[in-house]
Amino acid sequence: MIIQKAMTEHNEEQVLLLRGRRRRCCLIATGVAILMLLAFFIIILILALTVFKTKQPITELQSAKIDGIAPRVTFPAVDIQLNLTLDLQILVKNRNRASFKHGSGKSLLLYQGKQVGDVDIDPGLIPARGSAVLPCRLALQVDELASNLGALIRDVLDGELVMETRTRIPGRVNLLGIFKKHIVATSECQFTVAVLAFKIQSQKCKNKARF
């Protein structure tokens, strides 16, 4: 009886000791898993704030073509032949290390501070660290141009047209499929077009972004 009782107590101690070891192993494994998960999220957060920090897209005019301007002026009646369209190639550079998916945008054309045309920009996707050319065909508002006829005549005779574009492109940057950040890219460009050559001589753009 005494021997049997001692063996039973010994077995119970072994069972309790084994349970304790298992519990400690489970606690250690759980702690390691939590630490690894925490370290993973810290690394992702650091990358999101440094390497993958959202940057504003850069917008600039790549080319402009004015179809149909005939700088022919007759006196005493002034006659300037104008076409109703202006073809612009807007280059959008995505500086982020993630793709930039943009929705429908809008580009306005201004002359002497007045809006003389507008165009909708179709939605699209610009790859990470990539760029895309957005073709824009603007319909010029002849009535607004006519209100600045004096300035227009001087510019045509000088062989240069100074105009402005204001572009707004809303979109979203997707970082690692985890962080999604909305961004609205805007730009204001003042450019000078050579009337006879139909080419951009110079341009100055300001880019902004609202996150």
Side-chain angles (χ1 to χ4, degrees):
M1 292 288 294
I2 297 175
I3 296 175
Q4 186 177 2
K5 184 177 181 181
M7 291 180 63
T8 302
E9 292 178 352
H10 178 72
N11 290 336
E12 290 178 354
E13 290 178 357
Q14 291 293 327
V15 171
L16 292 175
L17 182 62
L18 183 60
R19 288 179 179 176
R21 289 178 179 176
R22 288 179 178 175
R23 187 178 301 167
R24 283 195 297 271
C25 289
C26 289
L27 290 175
I28 292 173
T30 303
V32 170
I34 292 175
L35 288 175
M36 291 181 64
L37 190 61
L38 183 61
F40 174 76
F41 278 108
I42 290 175
I43 292 173
I44 293 297
L45 182 60
I46 292 174
L47 290 175
L49 295 176
T50 55
V51 178
F52 294 102
K53 184 179 180 180
T54 305
K55 301 176 183 178
Q56 67 179 28
I58 295 178
T59 304
E60 63 184 37
L61 289 175
Q62 191 177 48
S63 65
K65 182 180 179 182
I66 306 176
D67 293 327
I69 284 189
R72 181 169 61 87
V73 182
T74 60
F75 295 99
V78 177
D79 179 24
I80 299 178
Q81 296 180 3
L82 288 175
N83 196 282
L84 301 180
T85 57
L86 175 65
D87 289 327
L88 297 177
Q89 299 288 329
I90 298 178
L91 178 65
V92 181
K93 298 179 182 179
N94 178 20
R95 301 186 298 159
N96 295 287
R97 296 182 181 273
S99 60
F100 175 59
K101 184 177 182 180
H102 64 87
S104 299
K106 191 89 172 179
S107 187
L108 306 178
L109 179 69
L110 295 93
Y111 176 71
Q112 296 290 321
K114 291 186 177 182
Q115 181 180 332
V116 295
D118 62 82
V119 66
D120 293 325
I121 298 175
D122 294 332
L125 180 68
I126 303 176
R129 311 288 289 183
S131 61
V133 177
L134 307 179
C136 300
R137 189 171 179 85
L138 293 93
L140 300 181
Q141 300 169 3
V142 181
D143 294 341
E144 293 296 337
L145 285 173
S147 65
N148 292 316
L149 188 60
L152 183 62
I153 293 173
R154 288 193 299 270
D155 288 344
V156 171
L157 291 175
D158 291 339
E160 294 181 348
L161 279 176
V162 179
M163 310 186 85
E164 297 177 48
T165 58
R166 294 177 185 174
T167 304
R168 181 182 183 274
I169 303 176
R172 184 178 64 186
V173 175
N174 193 341
L175 300 175
L176 303 176
I178 301 175
F179 301 98
K180 297 179 180 179
K181 199 161 188 177
H182 292 272
I183 180 173
V184 178
T186 60
S187 70
E188 296 182 3
C189 291
Q190 184 183 71
F191 61 100
T192 302
V193 179
V195 176
L196 294 179
F198 303 120
K199 292 182 179 179
I200 296 178
Q201 287 186 330
S202 62
Q203 66 172 300
K204 192 179 296 183
C205 294
K206 294 180 180 179
N207 295 277
K208 295 181 181 179
R210 187 174 74 248
F211 299 99

